[in-house]
Amino acid sequence: MPQITVDYSGALDAAFDPPAFALALHPIVVETVDARLEACKTRFRRVEDFAVGTETGSHALLHVEIGLLHGRTDAAKARLAAAVLALVAAQVKPVDGIVLHASVEVPNLDASYRKN
């Protein structure tokens, strides 16, 4: 815990460095929701097919989901989401002709979550 997943459009390949993003993201998670650095695990999934409204081109998506164990307040999760959006703005370079749609969600992990 935290379980972090980042889905991003292939159009961001030249504008986005996933490992650097994770290394910058983990301390933000630790500071904001009192997690341990060694507990942060991030995986990246490159998305090929998507649509925004009626558009299939000239857009890119980047969605960060940070699953946490129960106990964090809604206010703490909102602060984390805002901090992650600020990180996205700082780390993802603009791509000519592409509109970036960035989003963050901070759900609670299911009670069945276990790790080894």
Side-chain angles (χ1 to χ4, degrees):
M1 193 286 303
Q3 291 291 329
I4 305 166
T5 304
V6 181
D7 294 312
Y8 69 98
S9 302
L12 298 176
D13 282 345
F16 177 58
D17 181 352
F21 184 80
L23 292 177
L25 174 62
H26 293 171
I28 292 170
V29 174
V30 168
E31 294 167 16
T32 309
V33 293
D34 193 32
R36 292 176 317 148
L37 188 59
E38 63 274 9
C40 294
K41 296 170 282 303
T42 300
R43 65 183 173 271
F44 294 89
R45 299 185 296 202
R46 188 173 186 271
V47 177
E48 293 296 329
D49 298 317
F50 66 93
V52 175
T54 60
E55 298 285 328
T56 58
S58 73
H59 293 271
L61 304 176
L62 191 145
H63 178 73
V64 180
E65 181 177 300
I66 304 171
L68 301 173
L69 292 174
H70 290 270
R72 276 48 177 225
T73 65
D74 287 342
K77 292 191 278 185
R79 282 192 307 276
L80 178 57
V84 173
L85 281 177
L87 179 64
V88 169
Q91 289 227 340
V92 179
K93 300 174 196 123
V95 177
D96 286 340
I98 299 290
V99 176
L100 175 61
H101 300 269
S103 57
V104 179
E105 181 180 11
V106 186
N108 288 325
L109 293 169
D110 189 79
S112 66
Y113 173 79
R114 300 292 183 269
K115 68 177 184 170
N116 187 340

